[in-house]
Amino acid sequence: MIQRSEPITLLDLAERVKELSNGSLLSALSEGSEGTLIQGIAPLETAGDGEVSFLASPKYRDEAKQCHAAALILTEEDKKALWGDEIPPRACVITRNPYAWFAYALQVIFPRDNVTPGIHPGACIDPSAYVAPTARIDKGVVIKAGARIGEHCEILANTVIAEDVVIGDNTKIYPNVSIYYGCRIGKNNIIHSGAVIGADGFGFAPLDLEYVKIPQVGIVETGDNVEIGANTCIDRGALNNTTVGNGSKIDDLVMIGHNCQIGKNVVISGRSGMAGSSIIGDNCQLGGGAGIAGHLSIAPGTIIGANGGVPKTIDKPGYYAGHMPAMPHREFFNILSVIKKLPEMRRQLKRLTEEVKSLKGE
């Protein structure tokens, strides 16, 4: 059970959610519930006294009806489906998006700890680098010449910030992150352990069965409110910059190739990969293991299903999916053998169709 050290009234919690969402997530409290004390958040099946839970999908209505939470976050439609015109047996928060309300409520109940300013004596900082007086630099951090660390940043143990890197205000970088020279990280970013930002893109020119390295002279530039997962790699551009737009969220183990342009509020799930110079439009969603070929564009608002492969540009937004599900080895190769014969089978079908038409005198 997750608990807050100090309880908060449901009314105060609703006001804080409204504030954090800039007024876009309003809510109505059931009669008499304003003073309900909330001390934690829990799932429907385990929530109890002093806890708030949420109903984000109608398929969980039965669980919600049996839930023992002190307060329940749900839509007006779900409230009517559960209790009709009856008074709910517990405090309710009525909102248009219970899941987002829950996310903001978590931020209120478990606020990010204030940054304790200071530079650990075990950090190695070049004299020409600038570290804001409100920033925290942990043991083993290396900050090289010309780098700039913004206000209230946290750079945790053993992270390396290379030459001329700029880290925006309120950004948190977890241990063992590497940010290569010249990269620009926006404000309010979160970068998780093991991420590598700005490594050389995979650029080589073939010459007589050998490969000539192409110097990668672009950088990586992220917008504000970006989150980058553990062990994710974002390569620097060859000539142009690799960019990640404001509000985008990148999961663990994602590979973004050189010169890629990731739009605003894009969500990329784990193990996805983008080859160089692909352009992902605003508000796209990529499921786990999605693969994007290079030098193509994906229209804003497009959804790519898990393990979906994108070999060419998508101009029209929609839900795109396509992959071969796991199956017994022999069955898989039997299907492959049929796939190889499809062109000939198509020609045979066309020929037979013409013969049938001829016999019918059509």
Side-chain angles (χ1 to χ4, degrees):
M1 180 175 65
I2 303 173
Q3 286 191 331
R4 174 189 171 95
S5 57
E6 294 293 334
I8 183 173
T9 68
L10 194 59
L11 177 61
D12 288 340
L13 183 57
E15 288 298 319
R16 289 288 289 119
V17 168
K18 177 182 175 182
E19 179 184 342
L20 287 172
S21 67
N22 295 316
S24 66
L25 203 56
L26 304 178
S27 52
L29 307 185
S30 57
E31 186 177 351
S33 65
E34 295 84 352
T36 302
L37 292 178
I38 302 300
Q39 197 167 4
I41 290 183
L44 290 170
E45 61 271 18
T46 61
D49 291 342
E51 293 178 324
V52 64
S53 192
F54 70 100
L55 173 61
S57 171
K59 66 182 180 180
Y60 299 116
R61 283 173 178 168
D62 288 343
E63 289 88 338
K65 196 162 189 176
Q66 298 170 17
C67 177
H68 298 290
L72 184 63
I73 312 162
L74 72 173
T75 64
E76 179 66 29
E77 181 182 2
D78 283 330
K79 174 178 168 289
K80 286 188 176 297
L82 290 172
W83 297 293
D85 295 327
E86 296 178 8
I87 298 175
R90 65 185 55 80
C92 288
V93 177
I94 310 301
T95 183
R96 64 185 177 87
N97 189 328
Y99 195 37
W101 204 100
F102 154 79
Y104 281 121
L106 270 176
Q107 293 181 29
V108 175
I109 293 175
F110 304 102
R112 178 175 165 180
D113 293 336
N114 292 327
V115 176
T116 302
I119 299 174
H120 193 283
C124 181
I125 302 176
D126 188 276
S128 67
Y130 170 79
V131 177
T134 56
R136 169 189 171 186
I137 311 297
D138 266 8
K139 182 179 181 180
V141 170
V142 175
I143 301 177
K144 295 192 174 182
R148 298 184 62 82
I149 310 300
E151 301 290 343
H152 307 289
C153 286
E154 287 184 86
I155 315 295
L156 302 185
N158 302 319
T159 283
V160 177
I161 309 295
E163 294 85 355
D164 298 318
V165 168
V166 176
I167 308 294
D169 297 345
N170 301 302
T171 286
K172 183 170 186 175
I173 302 177
Y174 281 90
N176 302 307
V177 170
S178 297
I179 303 181
Y180 285 38
Y181 59 93
C183 292
R184 302 287 188 268
I185 306 299
K187 298 177 181 179
N188 304 307
N189 278 209
I190 298 174
I191 303 177
H192 290 277
S193 294
V196 178
I197 313 297
D200 279 359
F202 197 63
F204 301 91
L207 175 66
D208 300 332
L209 302 181
E210 295 183 350
Y211 293 90
V212 181
K213 183 175 178 60
I214 300 171
Q216 306 291 290
V217 298
I219 63 170
V220 173
E221 186 173 11
T222 71
D224 298 337
N225 303 303
V226 169
E227 184 156 352
I228 298 169
N231 295 317
T232 279
C233 297
I234 305 178
D235 284 350
R236 67 192 312 108
L239 296 174
N240 297 323
N241 296 341
T242 302
T243 61
V244 179
N246 292 341
S248 288
K249 314 299 180 187
I250 302 170
D251 198 2
D252 302 341
L253 298 168
V254 170
M255 173 66 219
I256 297 177
H258 58 182
N259 307 318
C260 285
Q261 312 291 306
I262 309 299
K264 298 177 182 178
N265 300 310
V266 171
V267 176
I268 303 175
S269 298
R271 299 186 302 103
S272 295
M274 277 126 277
S277 299
S278 46
I279 300 173
I280 313 299
D282 295 347
N283 306 112
C284 285
Q285 300 175 42
L286 275 61
I292 312 299
H295 300 274
L296 55 75
S297 299
I298 296 181
T302 298
I303 299 174
I304 307 297
N307 295 321
V310 182
K312 61 182 181 180
T313 287
I314 295 176
D315 293 320
K316 184 179 179 181
Y319 185 7
Y320 294 80
H323 65 281
M324 187 71 75
M327 61 186 71
H329 184 267
R330 185 178 296 276
E331 182 181 347
F332 175 72
F333 277 95
N334 285 338
I335 290 173
L336 273 186
S337 67
V338 173
I339 290 174
K340 290 180 180 179
K341 297 174 183 177
L342 282 177
E344 177 59 28
M345 293 168 66
R346 182 175 182 273
R347 287 190 290 270
Q348 290 176 351
L349 179 60
K350 185 176 181 181
R351 185 172 63 252
L352 290 171
T353 301
E354 293 299 324
E355 291 179 2
V356 170
K357 286 183 178 180
S358 176
L359 290 172
K360 289 183 176 180
E362 296 179 3

